[in-house]
Amino acid sequence: MGQGQGDYRILHEAALRDYLAEQPDLVTLLGAEPVSWSITEVGDGNLNLVFIVKGDRGGVAVKQALPYVRLVGESWPLPLSRAHYEYLSLSKQAQLAPGLVPALLHHNEALALTVMELLEPHIIMRKGMVAGTQYPRFVDDITSFMARTLFFTSDLALSAAEKKQGIAAFAGNHALCKITEDLIFTDPYRIAEQNRWTSPYLDALAAELREDMELHVAVSRLKLKFMASPEALLHGDLHTGSIMVTDGQTRVIDPEFAFYGPMGFDVGAVLANLLMAYFASAGHERSPGERQVFEDWVLGTVEQVWNEFARKFLELWRDEAAGDAYPISLFAGEKGAARLEAERQAYMRRLFTDTVGFAAAKTIRRIFGLAHNIDFELIEDPKKRAFSEARAVRLARGLMVEAAAAFRTIADVTGAARKLRDWMPELSG
Ligand code: ADP
Ligand code: MG
Protein backbone atom coordinates (compact mmCIF):
# COMPACT_ATOMS: atom_id res chain seq x y z
CA MET A 1 0.00 0.00 0.00
CA GLY A 2 1.41 3.40 -0.95
CA GLN A 3 1.88 6.01 1.72
CA GLY A 4 1.84 9.50 0.26
CA GLN A 5 3.60 12.05 2.41
CA GLY A 6 2.46 15.18 0.57
CA ASP A 7 -0.38 17.44 1.56
CA TYR A 8 -3.91 16.91 0.38
CA ARG A 9 -4.84 18.15 -3.08
CA ILE A 10 -7.71 17.22 -5.34
CA LEU A 11 -6.51 14.97 -8.15
CA HIS A 12 -8.42 15.69 -11.31
CA GLU A 13 -7.63 13.85 -14.51
CA ALA A 14 -4.07 14.98 -15.34
CA ALA A 15 -2.80 14.92 -11.77
CA LEU A 16 -4.45 11.57 -11.18
CA ARG A 17 -2.77 10.10 -14.26
CA ASP A 18 0.64 11.33 -13.03
CA TYR A 19 -0.02 9.99 -9.54
CA LEU A 20 -1.10 6.53 -10.71
CA ALA A 21 1.85 6.36 -13.13
CA GLU A 22 4.15 6.56 -10.10
CA GLN A 23 2.65 3.39 -8.56
CA PRO A 24 4.43 0.39 -10.14
CA ASP A 25 1.80 -2.17 -9.09
CA LEU A 26 -0.97 -0.11 -10.65
CA VAL A 27 1.01 0.46 -13.84
CA THR A 28 1.45 -3.31 -14.13
CA LEU A 29 -2.27 -3.77 -13.69
CA LEU A 30 -3.36 -1.01 -16.07
CA GLY A 31 -0.75 -1.28 -18.81
CA ALA A 32 2.57 0.42 -19.35
CA GLU A 33 1.37 3.48 -21.31
CA PRO A 34 -0.12 6.00 -18.88
CA VAL A 35 -0.85 8.47 -21.70
CA SER A 36 -3.20 5.94 -23.24
CA TRP A 37 -5.23 5.32 -20.07
CA SER A 38 -8.80 6.57 -20.22
CA ILE A 39 -9.94 8.41 -17.09
CA THR A 40 -13.62 9.13 -16.51
CA GLU A 41 -15.29 10.67 -13.48
CA VAL A 42 -18.37 8.60 -12.66
CA GLY A 43 -19.22 9.67 -9.14
CA ASP A 44 -22.98 9.78 -8.91
CA GLY A 45 -22.88 9.66 -5.16
CA ASN A 46 -23.43 12.49 -2.78
CA LEU A 47 -20.02 12.94 -1.22
CA ASN A 48 -16.89 12.00 -3.19
CA LEU A 49 -15.06 11.87 -6.51
CA VAL A 50 -14.91 8.48 -8.23
CA PHE A 51 -12.85 7.91 -11.38
CA ILE A 52 -12.72 4.85 -13.58
CA VAL A 53 -9.28 4.38 -15.12
CA LYS A 54 -8.72 1.91 -17.93
CA GLY A 55 -5.54 0.88 -19.72
CA ASP A 56 -4.89 -1.82 -22.28
CA ARG A 57 -4.41 -4.49 -19.60
CA GLY A 58 -7.03 -3.67 -17.03
CA GLY A 59 -8.99 -1.09 -15.07
CA VAL A 60 -9.35 0.31 -11.55
CA ALA A 61 -11.75 2.55 -9.65
CA VAL A 62 -10.25 5.51 -7.77
CA LYS A 63 -12.19 7.20 -4.98
CA GLN A 64 -11.06 10.45 -3.42
CA ALA A 65 -12.80 12.26 -0.57
CA LEU A 66 -13.40 15.99 -0.95
CA PRO A 67 -13.14 18.29 2.09
CA TYR A 68 -16.85 19.07 1.69
CA VAL A 69 -20.15 17.40 0.77
CA ARG A 70 -20.19 17.10 -3.01
CA LEU A 71 -23.98 17.30 -3.24
CA VAL A 72 -24.08 20.63 -1.39
CA GLY A 73 -20.67 22.25 -2.01
CA GLU A 74 -17.93 23.94 -0.01
CA SER A 75 -20.44 25.50 2.36
CA TRP A 76 -20.81 22.07 4.01
CA PRO A 77 -17.35 20.92 5.09
CA LEU A 78 -16.81 17.25 5.88
CA PRO A 79 -13.58 15.70 7.20
CA LEU A 80 -11.29 13.88 4.77
CA SER A 81 -10.77 11.26 7.46
CA ARG A 82 -13.86 9.49 6.16
CA ALA A 83 -11.59 7.99 3.47
CA HIS A 84 -9.53 6.45 6.27
CA TYR A 85 -12.63 4.89 7.84
CA GLU A 86 -13.87 3.65 4.48
CA TYR A 87 -10.51 2.01 3.83
CA LEU A 88 -10.37 0.53 7.33
CA SER A 89 -13.86 -0.93 7.12
CA LEU A 90 -13.35 -2.23 3.56
CA SER A 91 -10.24 -4.06 4.79
CA LYS A 92 -12.19 -5.57 7.67
CA GLN A 93 -15.11 -6.55 5.45
CA ALA A 94 -12.76 -8.13 2.90
CA GLN A 95 -11.34 -10.27 5.68
CA LEU A 96 -14.71 -11.25 7.19
CA ALA A 97 -16.79 -11.53 4.02
CA PRO A 98 -14.30 -12.43 1.28
CA GLY A 99 -15.42 -11.80 -2.28
CA LEU A 100 -18.29 -9.54 -1.29
CA VAL A 101 -16.46 -6.18 -1.43
CA PRO A 102 -14.15 -4.73 -4.12
CA ALA A 103 -10.51 -5.72 -3.65
CA LEU A 104 -8.32 -2.92 -2.26
CA LEU A 105 -5.33 -2.06 -4.43
CA HIS A 106 -3.84 1.12 -2.96
CA HIS A 107 -4.55 3.72 -0.31
CA ASN A 108 -3.05 7.14 0.34
CA GLU A 109 -4.01 8.54 3.70
CA ALA A 110 -2.84 12.14 3.02
CA LEU A 111 -4.72 12.33 -0.27
CA ALA A 112 -7.80 10.59 1.19
CA LEU A 113 -7.62 8.38 -1.88
CA THR A 114 -8.28 4.68 -2.40
CA VAL A 115 -7.75 2.60 -5.52
CA MET A 116 -9.88 -0.51 -5.76
CA GLU A 117 -10.97 -3.26 -8.08
CA LEU A 118 -13.05 -2.00 -11.00
CA LEU A 119 -16.46 -3.60 -10.75
CA GLU A 120 -17.50 -4.32 -14.30
CA PRO A 121 -20.04 -5.07 -15.72
CA HIS A 122 -21.69 -4.57 -12.33
CA ILE A 123 -24.35 -1.92 -11.98
CA ILE A 124 -25.80 -0.19 -8.96
CA MET A 125 -28.55 -2.52 -7.72
CA ARG A 126 -31.02 0.33 -7.27
CA LYS A 127 -30.81 1.13 -10.99
CA GLY A 128 -31.41 -2.49 -11.88
CA MET A 129 -34.43 -2.63 -9.59
CA VAL A 130 -35.92 0.53 -11.09
CA ALA A 131 -35.72 -1.31 -14.41
CA GLY A 132 -37.49 -4.29 -12.84
CA THR A 133 -34.51 -6.65 -12.77
CA GLN A 134 -34.34 -9.53 -10.30
CA TYR A 135 -31.07 -10.62 -8.71
CA PRO A 136 -30.99 -14.33 -7.86
CA ARG A 137 -27.71 -14.22 -5.87
CA PHE A 138 -28.64 -11.23 -3.78
CA VAL A 139 -30.21 -12.96 -0.77
CA ASP A 140 -27.38 -15.40 -0.21
CA ASP A 141 -24.65 -12.78 -0.68
CA ILE A 142 -26.09 -9.90 1.32
CA THR A 143 -27.08 -12.18 4.21
CA SER A 144 -23.57 -13.66 4.32
CA PHE A 145 -22.13 -10.15 4.27
CA MET A 146 -24.32 -8.95 7.12
CA ALA A 147 -24.21 -12.08 9.28
CA ARG A 148 -20.43 -12.35 9.05
CA THR A 149 -19.46 -8.68 9.39
CA LEU A 150 -21.89 -8.10 12.24
CA PHE A 151 -21.30 -11.34 14.16
CA PHE A 152 -17.51 -11.31 13.96
CA THR A 153 -17.22 -7.71 15.17
CA SER A 154 -19.60 -8.23 18.11
CA ASP A 155 -19.06 -9.26 21.73
CA LEU A 156 -20.33 -12.72 20.74
CA ALA A 157 -17.13 -13.27 18.74
CA LEU A 158 -14.52 -10.91 20.22
CA SER A 159 -12.80 -10.54 23.56
CA ALA A 160 -13.79 -7.42 25.49
CA ALA A 161 -10.40 -5.86 24.72
CA GLU A 162 -10.62 -6.51 20.98
CA LYS A 163 -14.13 -5.16 20.87
CA LYS A 164 -13.19 -1.94 22.65
CA GLN A 165 -10.20 -1.47 20.36
CA GLY A 166 -12.60 -1.81 17.44
CA ILE A 167 -14.94 0.83 18.85
CA ALA A 168 -12.00 3.16 19.42
CA ALA A 169 -10.68 2.66 15.88
CA PHE A 170 -13.93 4.01 14.43
CA ALA A 171 -14.96 6.51 17.11
CA GLY A 172 -13.36 9.35 15.17
CA ASN A 173 -15.88 8.93 12.34
CA HIS A 174 -18.39 10.99 14.32
CA ALA A 175 -18.93 13.62 11.61
CA LEU A 176 -20.41 10.97 9.34
CA CYS A 177 -22.51 9.60 12.21
CA LYS A 178 -23.79 13.12 12.84
CA ILE A 179 -25.06 13.30 9.26
CA THR A 180 -27.12 10.17 9.95
CA GLU A 181 -28.27 11.49 13.33
CA ASP A 182 -29.53 14.71 11.75
CA LEU A 183 -30.75 13.64 8.33
CA ILE A 184 -32.36 10.34 9.28
CA PHE A 185 -33.44 10.64 12.87
CA THR A 186 -34.22 14.34 13.28
CA ASP A 187 -34.82 16.61 10.27
CA PRO A 188 -37.71 14.76 8.58
CA TYR A 189 -39.75 15.28 11.75
CA ARG A 190 -39.25 19.04 12.04
CA ILE A 191 -38.99 22.06 9.80
CA ALA A 192 -35.51 21.93 8.31
CA GLU A 193 -34.11 23.89 5.41
CA GLN A 194 -32.91 20.82 3.53
CA ASN A 195 -36.13 18.83 3.73
CA ARG A 196 -38.12 18.34 0.58
CA TRP A 197 -41.00 16.17 -0.52
CA THR A 198 -43.38 15.71 -3.42
CA SER A 199 -45.27 18.96 -3.00
CA PRO A 200 -48.10 19.83 -2.86
CA TYR A 201 -49.38 16.23 -2.72
CA LEU A 202 -47.54 15.26 0.46
CA ASP A 203 -47.79 18.65 2.24
CA ALA A 204 -50.42 17.45 4.72
CA LEU A 205 -48.53 14.22 5.41
CA ALA A 206 -45.32 16.19 6.06
CA ALA A 207 -47.20 18.41 8.51
CA GLU A 208 -48.72 15.34 10.19
CA LEU A 209 -45.27 13.87 10.74
CA ARG A 210 -44.17 17.07 12.46
CA GLU A 211 -47.12 16.84 14.89
CA ASP A 212 -46.99 13.09 15.52
CA MET A 213 -45.57 12.77 19.04
CA GLU A 214 -45.81 8.96 19.06
CA LEU A 215 -43.58 8.97 16.02
CA HIS A 216 -41.23 11.53 17.57
CA VAL A 217 -40.81 9.29 20.61
CA ALA A 218 -40.25 6.22 18.44
CA VAL A 219 -37.67 7.89 16.20
CA SER A 220 -35.89 9.39 19.21
CA ARG A 221 -35.57 5.93 20.75
CA LEU A 222 -34.05 4.73 17.51
CA LYS A 223 -31.69 7.70 17.43
CA LEU A 224 -30.57 6.94 20.97
CA LYS A 225 -30.02 3.31 20.03
CA PHE A 226 -27.96 4.43 17.02
CA MET A 227 -25.83 6.68 19.22
CA ALA A 228 -25.47 4.53 22.30
CA SER A 229 -25.31 0.87 21.21
CA PRO A 230 -21.93 -0.11 19.77
CA GLU A 231 -22.97 -3.70 19.07
CA ALA A 232 -20.90 -4.34 15.96
CA LEU A 233 -19.01 -2.69 13.09
CA LEU A 234 -21.71 -1.40 10.77
CA HIS A 235 -21.43 -0.58 7.09
CA GLY A 236 -23.52 2.42 8.03
CA ASP A 237 -25.13 3.16 4.64
CA LEU A 238 -26.23 -0.24 3.35
CA HIS A 239 -28.85 0.79 0.80
CA THR A 240 -29.28 -0.57 -2.72
CA GLY A 241 -27.18 2.36 -4.04
CA SER A 242 -24.21 0.93 -2.09
CA ILE A 243 -24.52 -2.50 -3.70
CA MET A 244 -23.22 -3.34 -7.18
CA VAL A 245 -24.51 -6.45 -8.90
CA THR A 246 -24.49 -8.72 -11.90
CA ASP A 247 -26.65 -11.83 -12.24
CA GLY A 248 -23.92 -13.83 -10.60
CA GLN A 249 -22.16 -11.41 -8.23
CA THR A 250 -22.88 -9.01 -5.42
CA ARG A 251 -20.38 -6.43 -4.15
CA VAL A 252 -20.95 -4.02 -1.27
CA ILE A 253 -19.25 -0.63 -1.76
CA ASP A 254 -19.00 2.74 0.01
CA PRO A 255 -18.71 2.02 3.76
CA GLU A 256 -17.53 5.54 4.67
CA PHE A 257 -20.26 5.77 7.36
CA ALA A 258 -18.80 2.75 9.17
CA PHE A 259 -18.77 2.80 12.98
CA TYR A 260 -19.75 0.57 15.88
CA GLY A 261 -23.50 0.78 16.18
CA PRO A 262 -26.67 -1.29 16.47
CA MET A 263 -26.84 -4.23 14.05
CA GLY A 264 -30.47 -3.55 13.13
CA PHE A 265 -29.39 -0.36 11.39
CA ASP A 266 -27.64 -2.26 8.58
CA VAL A 267 -30.27 -4.99 8.26
CA GLY A 268 -33.05 -2.39 8.37
CA ALA A 269 -31.36 -0.38 5.60
CA VAL A 270 -31.47 -3.36 3.24
CA LEU A 271 -35.11 -4.13 4.05
CA ALA A 272 -36.18 -0.48 3.75
CA ASN A 273 -34.66 -0.12 0.30
CA LEU A 274 -36.32 -3.31 -0.91
CA LEU A 275 -39.66 -2.13 0.46
CA MET A 276 -39.25 1.24 -1.26
CA ALA A 277 -38.54 -0.54 -4.56
CA TYR A 278 -41.75 -2.50 -3.96
CA PHE A 279 -43.87 0.62 -3.45
CA ALA A 280 -42.16 2.48 -6.31
CA SER A 281 -42.95 -0.38 -8.70
CA ALA A 282 -46.52 0.90 -9.21
CA GLY A 283 -45.16 4.15 -10.66
CA HIS A 284 -42.80 2.62 -13.22
CA GLU A 285 -43.67 1.55 -16.76
CA ARG A 286 -44.25 -2.17 -16.70
CA SER A 287 -47.11 -4.43 -17.71
CA PRO A 288 -49.42 -5.73 -14.96
CA GLY A 289 -47.84 -9.16 -15.37
CA GLU A 290 -44.29 -7.85 -15.12
CA ARG A 291 -45.29 -5.71 -12.18
CA GLN A 292 -46.73 -8.67 -10.30
CA VAL A 293 -43.70 -10.86 -10.92
CA PHE A 294 -41.28 -8.14 -9.83
CA GLU A 295 -43.24 -7.20 -6.71
CA ASP A 296 -43.59 -10.84 -5.67
CA TRP A 297 -39.86 -11.23 -6.07
CA VAL A 298 -39.15 -8.11 -3.99
CA LEU A 299 -41.40 -9.15 -1.10
CA GLY A 300 -40.08 -12.69 -1.26
CA THR A 301 -36.61 -11.19 -1.06
CA VAL A 302 -37.55 -9.11 1.98
CA GLU A 303 -38.64 -12.28 3.77
CA GLN A 304 -35.60 -14.28 2.72
CA VAL A 305 -33.16 -11.52 3.63
CA TRP A 306 -34.37 -11.53 7.22
CA ASN A 307 -34.81 -15.31 7.47
CA GLU A 308 -31.46 -16.17 5.93
CA PHE A 309 -29.65 -13.46 7.89
CA ALA A 310 -31.12 -14.77 11.13
CA ARG A 311 -30.29 -18.37 10.24
CA LYS A 312 -26.69 -17.57 9.35
CA PHE A 313 -26.17 -15.32 12.36
CA LEU A 314 -27.50 -18.01 14.72
CA GLU A 315 -25.36 -20.64 13.07
CA LEU A 316 -22.25 -18.50 13.63
CA TRP A 317 -23.28 -17.93 17.23
CA ARG A 318 -23.70 -21.67 17.84
CA ASP A 319 -20.42 -22.60 16.12
CA GLU A 320 -18.04 -19.68 16.56
CA ALA A 321 -18.91 -17.91 19.80
CA ALA A 322 -15.43 -17.13 21.10
CA GLY A 323 -16.42 -13.77 22.60
CA ASP A 324 -16.68 -12.64 26.19
CA ALA A 325 -20.47 -12.28 26.12
CA TYR A 326 -22.54 -15.27 27.30
CA PRO A 327 -19.65 -17.23 28.89
CA ILE A 328 -20.14 -20.87 28.04
CA SER A 329 -19.28 -21.84 31.63
CA LEU A 330 -22.61 -20.34 32.70
CA PHE A 331 -24.56 -22.61 30.35
CA ALA A 332 -23.15 -26.05 31.06
CA GLY A 333 -24.99 -29.31 30.47
CA GLU A 334 -28.19 -29.98 28.60
CA LYS A 335 -30.22 -27.58 30.67
CA GLY A 336 -27.71 -24.80 30.05
CA ALA A 337 -27.56 -25.47 26.34
CA ALA A 338 -31.34 -25.36 26.05
CA ARG A 339 -31.55 -22.14 28.04
CA LEU A 340 -28.84 -20.51 25.94
CA GLU A 341 -30.60 -21.52 22.72
CA ALA A 342 -33.82 -19.92 23.97
CA GLU A 343 -31.84 -16.80 24.80
CA ARG A 344 -30.40 -16.72 21.27
CA GLN A 345 -33.94 -16.76 19.91
CA ALA A 346 -34.90 -13.92 22.26
CA TYR A 347 -31.86 -11.94 21.09
CA MET A 348 -32.96 -12.36 17.47
CA ARG A 349 -36.47 -11.15 18.34
CA ARG A 350 -35.00 -7.96 19.80
CA LEU A 351 -32.77 -7.55 16.79
CA PHE A 352 -35.80 -7.98 14.55
CA THR A 353 -37.66 -5.23 16.41
CA ASP A 354 -34.67 -2.89 16.01
CA THR A 355 -34.41 -3.82 12.33
CA VAL A 356 -38.05 -3.01 11.67
CA GLY A 357 -37.73 0.37 13.42
CA PHE A 358 -34.57 1.34 11.54
CA ALA A 359 -36.15 0.24 8.24
CA ALA A 360 -38.98 2.66 8.95
CA ALA A 361 -36.61 5.54 9.73
CA LYS A 362 -34.64 4.86 6.55
CA THR A 363 -37.85 4.99 4.53
CA ILE A 364 -39.25 8.22 5.94
CA ARG A 365 -35.98 10.11 5.42
CA ARG A 366 -35.96 9.25 1.71
CA ILE A 367 -39.40 10.81 1.28
CA PHE A 368 -39.17 13.95 3.45
CA GLY A 369 -35.44 14.52 4.03
CA LEU A 370 -32.50 15.81 2.00
CA ALA A 371 -31.41 12.68 0.11
CA HIS A 372 -34.08 10.98 -1.99
CA ASN A 373 -33.71 7.86 -4.11
CA ILE A 374 -34.30 7.20 -7.79
CA ASP A 375 -36.84 4.47 -7.03
CA PHE A 376 -39.28 7.28 -6.33
CA GLU A 377 -37.57 10.20 -8.09
CA LEU A 378 -37.72 8.54 -11.50
CA ILE A 379 -41.51 8.33 -11.30
CA GLU A 380 -42.15 11.34 -13.49
CA ASP A 381 -45.81 11.97 -12.70
CA PRO A 382 -45.64 13.62 -9.27
CA LYS A 383 -49.08 12.40 -8.29
CA LYS A 384 -48.18 8.80 -9.02
CA ARG A 385 -44.93 9.32 -7.13
CA ALA A 386 -46.85 10.72 -4.18
CA PHE A 387 -49.15 7.65 -4.11
CA SER A 388 -46.15 5.33 -3.96
CA GLU A 389 -44.45 7.47 -1.32
CA ALA A 390 -47.57 7.81 0.84
CA ARG A 391 -48.00 4.02 0.88
CA ALA A 392 -44.40 3.58 1.96
CA VAL A 393 -44.84 6.19 4.70
CA ARG A 394 -48.01 4.53 5.95
CA LEU A 395 -46.16 1.24 6.32
CA ALA A 396 -43.15 2.98 7.88
CA ARG A 397 -45.22 4.82 10.48
CA GLY A 398 -46.76 1.52 11.55
CA LEU A 399 -43.39 -0.21 11.63
CA MET A 400 -41.86 2.51 13.76
CA VAL A 401 -44.62 3.03 16.29
CA GLU A 402 -45.85 -0.56 16.60
CA ALA A 403 -42.62 -2.39 15.86
CA ALA A 404 -42.69 -4.67 18.88
CA ALA A 405 -46.45 -5.12 19.22
CA ALA A 406 -47.73 -5.63 15.68
CA PHE A 407 -44.71 -6.84 13.70
CA ARG A 408 -43.36 -9.99 15.25
CA THR A 409 -42.27 -11.79 12.11
CA ILE A 410 -41.04 -10.69 8.70
CA ALA A 411 -44.27 -12.08 7.21
CA ASP A 412 -46.15 -9.46 9.28
CA VAL A 413 -44.10 -6.79 7.49
CA THR A 414 -44.57 -8.13 3.96
CA GLY A 415 -48.26 -8.82 4.70
CA ALA A 416 -48.75 -5.17 5.70
CA ALA A 417 -46.87 -4.02 2.58
CA ARG A 418 -49.06 -6.21 0.38
CA LYS A 419 -52.22 -4.75 1.90
CA LEU A 420 -51.05 -1.25 0.99
CA ARG A 421 -50.22 -2.11 -2.62
CA ASP A 422 -53.37 -0.57 -4.09
CA TRP A 423 -54.37 1.70 -1.21
CA MET A 424 -55.42 5.15 -2.46
CA PRO A 425 -54.26 7.74 0.05
CA GLU A 426 -55.82 11.18 0.23
CA LEU A 427 -53.34 13.65 -1.16
CA SER A 428 -53.07 17.41 -0.63
CA GLY A 429 -53.27 19.90 -3.46
P1 ADP B 1 -20.10 8.25 -2.67
O1 ADP B 1 -19.42 7.94 -1.41
O2 ADP B 1 -19.79 9.62 -3.17
O3 ADP B 1 -21.57 7.97 -2.57
P2 ADP B 1 -19.70 5.72 -4.03
O4 ADP B 1 -18.67 4.93 -3.33
O5 ADP B 1 -21.13 5.36 -3.78
O6 ADP B 1 -19.48 7.28 -3.78
O7 ADP B 1 -19.39 5.66 -5.59
C1 ADP B 1 -20.09 6.48 -6.51
C2 ADP B 1 -20.33 5.71 -7.80
O8 ADP B 1 -19.12 5.31 -8.39
C3 ADP B 1 -21.11 4.42 -7.59
O9 ADP B 1 -22.49 4.67 -7.63
C4 ADP B 1 -20.65 3.58 -8.75
O10 ADP B 1 -21.40 3.90 -9.90
C5 ADP B 1 -19.23 4.01 -8.97
N1 ADP B 1 -18.27 3.12 -8.31
C6 ADP B 1 -17.82 3.19 -7.04
N2 ADP B 1 -16.94 2.21 -6.76
C7 ADP B 1 -16.80 1.49 -7.90
C8 ADP B 1 -16.01 0.34 -8.29
N3 ADP B 1 -15.19 -0.27 -7.43
N4 ADP B 1 -16.13 -0.12 -9.56
C9 ADP B 1 -16.97 0.49 -10.44
N5 ADP B 1 -17.71 1.57 -10.14
C10 ADP B 1 -17.64 2.07 -8.90
MG1 MG C 1 -20.91 7.49 0.00
Side-chain angles (χ1 to χ4, degrees):
M1 295 288 150
Q3 277 308 311
Q5 299 300 313
D7 289 329
Y8 176 82
R9 64 208 151 93
I10 296 173
L11 297 186
H12 287 293
E13 191 192 317
L16 181 61
R17 189 186 305 272
D18 292 346
Y19 176 80
L20 297 175
E22 287 164 16
Q23 318 300 326
D25 292 355
L26 296 178
V27 173
T28 306
L29 201 156
L30 286 163
E33 292 291 338
V35 286
S36 72
W37 297 344
S38 70
I39 301 188
T40 322
E41 213 277 315
V42 295
D44 56 357
N46 296 333
L47 297 182
N48 306 290
L49 289 174
V50 178
F51 292 92
I52 287 178
V53 183
K54 284 188 185 173
D56 57 357
R57 299 186 59 153
V60 296
V62 182
K63 180 165 179 176
Q64 185 177 35
L66 296 166
Y68 50 84
V69 175
R70 176 181 181 159
L71 175 74
V72 177
E74 294 183 39
S75 62
W76 186 346
L78 196 63
L80 294 170
S81 60
R82 66 187 188 276
H84 163 81
Y85 296 108
E86 176 161 355
Y87 171 73
L88 201 62
S89 52
L90 261 177
S91 316
K92 195 73 200 165
Q93 291 159 355
Q95 177 198 336
L96 297 176
L100 295 176
V101 293
L104 281 165
L105 303 172
H106 175 91
H107 177 69
N108 185 312
E109 196 79 15
L111 290 174
L113 176 140
T114 300
V115 182
M116 63 191 128
E117 174 191 2
L118 176 62
L119 298 172
E120 201 179 49
H122 303 65
I123 65 163
I124 291 289
M125 184 178 181
R126 195 191 294 291
K127 291 187 185 166
M129 291 189 78
V130 168
T133 311
Q134 301 176 26
Y135 292 100
R137 284 229 41 90
F138 176 68
V139 168
D140 193 34
D141 288 342
I142 201 68
T143 55
S144 291
F145 178 84
M146 294 193 295
R148 296 185 61 83
T149 59
L150 298 176
F151 177 81
F152 284 112
T153 58
S154 78
D155 291 288
L156 302 171
L158 298 178
S159 72
E162 289 167 329
K163 171 79 184 321
K164 285 171 179 65
Q165 280 158 7
I167 295 172
F170 284 89
N173 205 18
H174 49 75
L176 280 280
C177 293
K178 182 75 163 80
I179 291 180
T180 301
E181 289 149 17
D182 290 342
L183 295 191
I184 298 184
F185 297 110
T186 312
D187 285 353
Y189 305 87
R190 66 179 177 189
I191 296 203
E193 206 185 315
Q194 289 162 325
N195 286 346
R196 63 188 179 84
W197 55 83
T198 303
S199 186
Y201 302 112
L202 297 185
D203 288 359
L205 193 51
E208 241 176 73
L209 252 55
R210 294 196 296 268
E211 298 297 318
D212 187 339
M213 289 305 134
E214 288 313 305
L215 198 59
H216 292 198
V217 167
V219 80
S220 297
R221 285 185 187 163
L222 289 164
K223 181 176 182 178
L224 178 63
K225 178 146 253 170
F226 179 84
M227 298 170 82
S229 305
E231 296 172 352
L233 177 60
L234 305 189
H235 176 284
D237 198 21
L238 195 51
H239 55 78
T240 45
S242 296
I243 300 170
M244 296 189 75
V245 284
T246 63
D247 272 359
Q249 290 190 357
T250 313
R251 295 285 184 276
V252 176
I253 64 167
D254 195 15
E256 67 192 318
F257 284 81
F259 82 115
Y260 274 72
M263 300 186 192
F265 187 77
D266 272 2
V267 188
V270 172
L271 296 187
N273 282 274
L274 293 171
L275 289 166
M276 285 188 274
Y278 168 78
F279 285 111
S281 170
H284 293 299
E285 285 304 323
R286 48 191 72 140
S287 72
E290 284 167 345
R291 185 181 160 193
Q292 191 64 54
V293 169
F294 177 72
E295 290 171 9
D296 287 346
W297 176 75
V298 176
L299 289 190
T301 301
V302 168
E303 292 178 4
Q304 289 172 37
V305 164
W306 172 259
N307 290 334
E308 274 297 282
F309 164 74
R311 188 185 67 75
K312 289 177 183 176
F313 189 93
L314 281 168
E315 198 172 276
L316 290 170
W317 190 348
R318 289 182 198 116
D319 296 345
E320 314 219 26
D324 278 346
Y326 293 98
I328 202 67
S329 51
L330 296 191
F331 297 96
E334 243 174 66
K335 200 173 127 206
R339 189 63 190 86
L340 181 54
E341 183 53 29
E343 173 59 10
R344 291 189 190 106
Q345 303 293 338
Y347 179 101
M348 294 313 284
R349 285 195 293 276
R350 291 195 297 273
L351 179 49
F352 181 71
T353 300
D354 291 354
T355 296
V356 163
F358 286 123
K362 297 283 251 178
T363 300
I364 289 173
R365 68 77 64 111
R366 293 281 184 194
I367 296 168
F368 297 103
L370 168 68
H372 288 226
N373 61 35
I374 58 166
D375 308 63
F376 294 130
E377 295 296 282
L378 288 181
I379 303 174
E380 258 170 55
D381 176 351
K383 201 163 187 178
K384 270 195 192 168
R385 187 190 324 135
F387 278 130
S388 284
E389 291 173 330
R391 289 171 189 143
V393 173
R394 169 99 163 208
L395 177 68
R397 198 227 172 240
L399 293 181
M400 206 188 283
V401 172
E402 303 168 280
F407 297 94
R408 296 180 161 272
T409 69
I410 193 66
D412 294 334
V413 176
T414 52
R418 226 176 237 114
K419 277 196 195 136
L420 289 166
R421 180 186 188 263
D422 299 308
W423 174 61
M424 295 307 279
E426 263 184 52
L427 301 178
S428 324

